[in-house]
Amino acid sequence: MNVAAAFLCGLLFALGLGVSGMLQPVKVIGFLDVAGRWDPDLLFVMGPAVGITLAAWMWRRGRPSPWGDQVPAKGRHDLDGRLLSGAVLFGIGWGVAGVCPGPAVTNLSALSPFSLVALGAVLCGVALSFLPLFRPRP
């Protein structure tokens, strides 16, 4: 059941990316080009998603999850260099290529050279996260 639910959520996410046009790297790069020809389309995709997630998070706070964990009642304070460096690298890659992991996987259906290179870059980033330099210290 969990696999089927995860598959349906992924399928719905991919469909949403396609319908909104966010599978096109030029749309993402246009959103990040605030000094040039700014394209606000990504704002209308991310805005409602962030709002819905925030509302659900606040509602679930401190309650048990169907999967056994609880949403933490208090904020976490474990920001570290590993997290921040990963966020910076993700942001740089997203800004340069205009593709993040979701669209990179979804764009595989096109089998274009760009989509293969983009997914390869995502997989390289995942592989880098396993290097001892990026592992948390015990």
Side-chain angles (χ1 to χ4, degrees):
M1 179 65 180
N2 285 342
V3 172
F7 178 78
L8 289 175
C9 287
L11 193 60
L12 182 62
F13 179 67
L15 184 63
L17 287 173
V19 167
S20 65
M22 292 304 124
L23 294 176
Q24 302 168 16
V26 73
K27 293 290 247 180
V28 175
I29 292 171
F31 174 75
L32 297 173
D33 186 13
V34 292
R37 296 178 49 118
W38 185 61
D39 181 359
D41 289 351
L42 182 58
L43 185 65
F44 296 111
V45 174
M46 280 179 30
V50 170
I52 291 167
T53 301
L54 181 62
W57 184 268
M58 297 303 286
W59 179 76
R60 298 279 312 179
R61 181 177 267 180
R63 296 181 177 167
S65 164
W67 296 277
D69 295 332
Q70 285 189 350
V71 174
K74 293 184 180 180
R76 295 178 61 172
H77 301 286
D78 56 353
L79 294 177
D80 59 4
R82 181 176 183 249
L83 176 67
L84 296 175
S85 64
V88 167
L89 287 173
F90 174 86
I92 290 170
W94 184 56
V96 168
V99 178
C100 65
V105 171
T106 305
N107 277 336
L108 274 180
S109 62
L111 286 178
S112 70
F114 176 79
S115 64
L116 295 173
V117 170
L119 186 62
V122 168
L123 294 175
C124 285
V126 170
L128 279 174
S129 73
F130 289 103
L131 291 177
L133 174 67
F134 296 107
R135 284 204 188 126
R137 291 175 183 82

